[in-house]
Amino acid sequence: VDAIQDWWRRNQPHYPTAKRLLIEADSGGSNAARSRRYKKRLQDFTDETELEITVCHDPPGTSKWNPIEHRLFSQIAATWAGHVLSTLLILRGFIRRTTTTTGLKVTATYFEQTYLTVLKVTNAEFKTIQLTRNNVCPQWNYTIRPRPKNTE
């Protein structure tokens, strides 16, 4: 969610009237379709921005067929070919230097923080998430809406 927040902060001026975001995500790691923590953090983000966020997860095991990932990673690999990737700074530099023949420029951001893996979302916290599952593949597709503002 930090990456989504970072992208939104940098790109929101290009979408001044946006009311919603569509996120396509794989189903592994911290943004897994079953991750309650991911959904909680998305809820916090949507409360902050008042954006409606729809998430469509790739079914498990299918992210390797992601066409964007294939098009980009081959270009990134060609950029760093033959170089020793000994530090994160060098790696990031090669990623950021990557462009495609169609003019696509790759960005890379590093968040220097430790993410705790023991944080759990309680049943009570999860019930406050304004999550609506889509009719098609509801286990992978859902929308999170901002919670009503407290008017007290």
Side-chain angles (χ1 to χ4, degrees):
V1 175
D2 286 341
I4 295 165
Q5 288 174 312
D6 180 66
W7 179 88
W8 181 247
R9 285 186 191 106
R10 286 185 287 107
N11 290 283
Q12 193 275 331
H14 301 293
Y15 308 99
T17 61
K19 302 282 187 240
R20 58 184 187 229
L21 288 177
L22 171 64
I23 298 170
E24 295 183 29
D26 63 21
S27 285
S30 62
N31 65 326
R34 296 183 63 197
S35 171
R36 292 164 62 122
R37 180 78 182 139
Y38 179 64
K39 291 177 179 83
K40 166 82 169 66
R41 297 234 21 243
L42 282 176
Q43 180 69 65
D44 295 342
F45 175 61
T46 196
D47 289 346
E48 173 192 327
T49 61
E50 298 186 3
L51 291 168
E52 179 180 290
I53 299 175
T54 298
V55 181
C56 298
H57 289 275
D58 292 335
T62 62
S63 64
K64 62 184 143 214
W65 291 292
N66 179 332
I68 295 170
E69 200 169 301
H70 277 280
R71 288 186 1 227
L72 277 180
F73 193 76
S74 62
Q75 297 299 317
I76 293 168
T79 301
W80 69 36
H83 296 276
V84 177
L85 304 174
S86 57
T87 68
L88 182 59
L89 188 62
I90 291 170
L91 175 69
R92 232 176 39 207
F94 279 114
I95 292 172
R96 288 178 173 166
R97 201 175 328 163
T98 302
T99 59
T100 65
T101 55
T102 59
L104 181 66
K105 294 179 182 178
V106 180
T107 60
T109 304
Y110 173 69
F111 300 102
E112 194 167 329
Q113 66 188 62
T114 302
Y115 292 94
L116 300 174
T117 59
V118 296
L119 296 176
K120 303 290 182 198
V121 174
T122 67
N123 288 338
E125 288 176 308
F126 192 74
K127 285 180 183 176
T128 70
I129 297 173
Q130 301 295 300
L131 186 142
T132 305
R133 296 196 178 275
N134 293 11
N135 291 331
V136 176
C137 298
Q139 70 273 34
W140 300 319
N141 302 313
Y142 51 86
T143 298
I144 298 177
R145 290 176 180 80
R147 287 183 271 224
K149 296 275 189 213
N150 189 349
T151 57
E152 292 180 33

